[in-house]
Amino acid sequence: MIVRMANTISSNGYIARLSGEEDWLSSDNWMDFLREAKEFDNFVMGRETYELVMRLYKDHNFDDVDCRYKIIVTSQDLKVSDDYKVVHSPQEAIDFLKMQGLEKLLLIGGGKLNSEFARLNLIDEVSLTVAPHILGQGRPVLAEGNYEFSLKLVEVKKLTKDRIRLLYTTSKNRGEL
């Protein structure tokens, strides 16, 4: 299973304001996410990301995403519609998608869940779309934690006039520590 952590970040590494709002992102970022979720046929997020997006964005949210598997990782009991699958660990998300015959997992975080995947050495690829915006404070793409890994740049792609996507493989993929 290939795990791709994919996030849009401010030019200084934040994925959202402290409040969770992403109002500084262009609609192009949402369209990119919709295409990628459809390609992977899944996406995996944490409970906070799910709850924030569903509360803050009534018109366009995860209910609108066209893919078979929408997975929420949480340690809590969470009641959601049948369109979502709740699991309790990163490994459980991976195992579930493997059982469905999928070979790739799209991890969209937030920072706490991204860090848990990193701590468990489960991230194979890192895809960062850099938005032309600086936030003085916010939620980081990876929360602090006990992990470390190297990246190898695979691709730099200019998406629009002001946005680029960086695609890396992790040291895990190259047999390095």
Side-chain angles (χ1 to χ4, degrees):
M1 166 83 46
I2 300 294
V3 174
R4 177 182 290 176
M5 183 185 91
N7 293 95
T8 298
I9 60 172
S10 66
S11 295
N12 58 332
Y14 292 119
I15 57 174
R17 297 185 189 283
L18 288 175
S19 65
E21 291 181 287
E22 301 170 326
D23 56 324
W24 49 276
L25 293 174
S26 77
S27 60
D28 292 334
N29 293 294
W30 180 251
M31 300 308 292
D32 292 343
F33 164 65
L34 292 176
R35 280 190 292 277
E36 201 164 21
K38 187 170 187 164
E39 173 193 334
F40 278 65
D41 208 15
N42 73 81
F43 63 94
V44 177
M45 67 193 139
R47 177 193 53 80
E48 272 188 57
T49 298
Y50 168 77
E51 288 178 346
L52 278 167
V53 168
M54 299 305 278
R55 179 174 48 85
L56 294 173
Y57 305 101
K58 302 287 186 205
D59 295 333
H60 300 312
N61 58 46
F62 296 128
D63 288 344
D64 304 313
V65 180
D66 182 20
C67 68
R68 278 189 297 171
Y69 304 105
K70 303 172 186 182
I71 300 173
I72 303 165
V73 180
T74 180
S75 61
Q76 300 180 4
D77 261 351
L78 183 66
K79 302 295 181 211
V80 293
S81 78
D82 290 343
D83 292 337
Y84 297 87
K85 170 80 173 164
V86 175
V87 299
H88 301 291
S89 71
Q91 190 61 55
E92 190 178 343
I94 289 170
D95 293 344
F96 172 77
L97 289 173
K98 279 183 179 177
M99 286 178 27
Q100 308 313 309
L102 274 68
E103 297 177 2
K104 299 187 298 184
L105 180 153
L106 182 63
L107 172 63
I108 63 164
K112 291 176 189 174
L113 184 60
N114 289 346
S115 293
E116 185 60 12
F117 270 83
R119 186 185 71 77
L120 295 169
N121 197 32
L122 297 173
I123 299 173
D124 300 290
E125 299 175 346
V126 175
S127 173
L128 299 172
T129 298
V130 182
H133 199 83
I134 299 284
L135 294 172
Q137 56 184 345
R139 295 177 181 222
V141 67
L142 288 153
E144 289 184 19
N146 187 19
Y147 58 86
E148 184 175 330
F149 53 93
S150 297
L151 300 173
K152 180 177 181 185
L153 185 63
V154 175
E155 179 182 61
V156 177
K157 184 176 182 181
K158 188 171 184 177
L159 300 175
T160 59
K161 179 180 167 214
D162 296 322
R163 292 181 320 124
I164 61 168
R165 177 169 296 136
L166 306 169
L167 179 62
Y168 298 93
T169 58
T170 67
S171 53
K172 172 187 167 204
N173 262 352
R174 299 190 309 273
E176 301 167 14
L177 292 176

